[in-house]
Amino acid sequence: MPKPLPYSTQREIFTRFREAESEPKGELEHVNAYTLVVAVALSAQATDAGVNKATRALFATVDTPQKMLDLGEEGLVEHIKSIGLYRNKAKNVMKLSRILVDEYDGEVPSSRSALEGLPGVGRKTANVVLNMWFGYPAQAVDTHIFRVGNRTQIAPGKDVVAVERAIEDNVPAEFALHAHHWLILHGRYTCIARKPKCPACLIRDLCPYPEKTE
């Protein structure tokens, strides 16, 4: 496994990301912490655009765990049946909504362990919520970040947890809050899986990837 890029290079990379977009945002639409949890849980193996299309009308009226329970599983299915694995996801949303009502007074907890205890909520989902809603510098590693972290050597690691820790250990602290958003956006639109858009890349001269495209 290659070593992460030197601190000075990391600083230059994230300075460029910040100059290009100072306040990067996640692309999942939500109105509060609860709808963010639901949106991220629904986004597994689905696109953000597809989730947004399915949840836009849903979140306009169903924005609390109790309202979701009142809607019922079949009512939720009608909204999200365009999303992959919608049946299982609907069951998990109903279960996590019941737990939030019964154990957390309808509020979304702000600890990773509590979030991970909710059905359908894994480490990545918990980190997204902690970062986007509660403002913690948590690093939610998805396939884009895993690819970018290893390809650029910003945060190399053999699995998503290793990449998460490499970001925490090597990205300068001042960039930690937005690091995962910059890396997601870079992976989604520039450092794509097949034929990355290296000629348009902000950090082309700093990236050691040997197979740059022309």
Side-chain angles (χ1 to χ4, degrees), residues 23-109:
E23 294 287 332
K25 304 293 183 185
E27 296 181 330
L28 283 174
E29 296 174 7
H30 58 283
V31 298
N32 56 24
Y34 171 69
T35 55
L36 178 58
V37 171
V38 173
V40 181
L42 294 176
S43 72
Q45 298 178 290
T47 65
D48 288 359
V51 173
N52 290 340
K53 184 176 180 181
T55 59
R56 204 164 284 136
L58 173 68
F59 292 161
T61 56
V62 181
D63 58 1
T64 69
Q66 187 58 59
K67 288 179 182 177
M68 188 66 75
L69 294 174
D70 293 342
L71 176 66
E73 186 175 325
E74 289 306 313
L76 174 58
V77 163
E78 286 303 305
H79 283 278
I80 68 169
K81 58 187 178 183
S82 61
I83 300 174
L85 306 175
Y86 68 90
R87 282 283 178 189
N88 189 55
K89 290 177 180 179
K91 291 181 186 300
N92 282 333
V93 169
M94 302 312 294
K95 289 176 182 177
L96 73 83
S97 299
R98 171 54 63 193
I99 291 172
L100 290 175
V101 168
D102 291 349
E103 299 183 20
Y104 297 99
D105 296 322
E107 299 295 324
V108 174

Side-chain angles (χ1 to χ4, degrees), residues 92-157:
N92 282 333
V93 169
M94 302 312 294
K95 289 176 182 177
L96 73 83
S97 299
R98 171 54 63 193
I99 291 172
L100 290 175
V101 168
D102 291 349
E103 299 183 20
Y104 297 99
D105 296 322
E107 299 295 324
V108 174
S110 59
S111 80
R112 182 185 283 115
S113 61
L115 287 166
E116 287 188 37
L118 299 173
V121 175
R123 188 178 184 88
K124 186 191 83 169
T125 299
N127 282 344
V128 170
V129 175
L130 290 172
N131 182 282
M132 290 180 62
W133 192 259
F134 294 106
Y136 297 164
Q139 308 301 328
V141 178
D142 66 355
T143 56
H144 297 299
I145 293 182
F146 185 79
R147 178 176 67 255
V148 172
N150 280 287
R151 184 182 278 172
T152 64
Q153 294 179 31
I154 290 171

Side-chain angles (χ1 to χ4, degrees), residues 173-187:
E174 68 185 277
F175 302 107
L177 180 60
H178 295 312
H180 94 277
H181 279 133
W182 282 315
L183 293 171
I184 286 173
L185 294 173
H186 190 62

Side-chain angles (χ1 to χ4, degrees), residues 6-21:
Y7 179 84
S8 59
T9 307
Q10 301 267 10
R11 174 172 288 283
E12 177 60 25
I13 285 172
F14 283 93
T15 296
R16 293 183 191 183
F17 286 154
R18 182 171 62 186
E19 288 173 349
E21 188 163 5

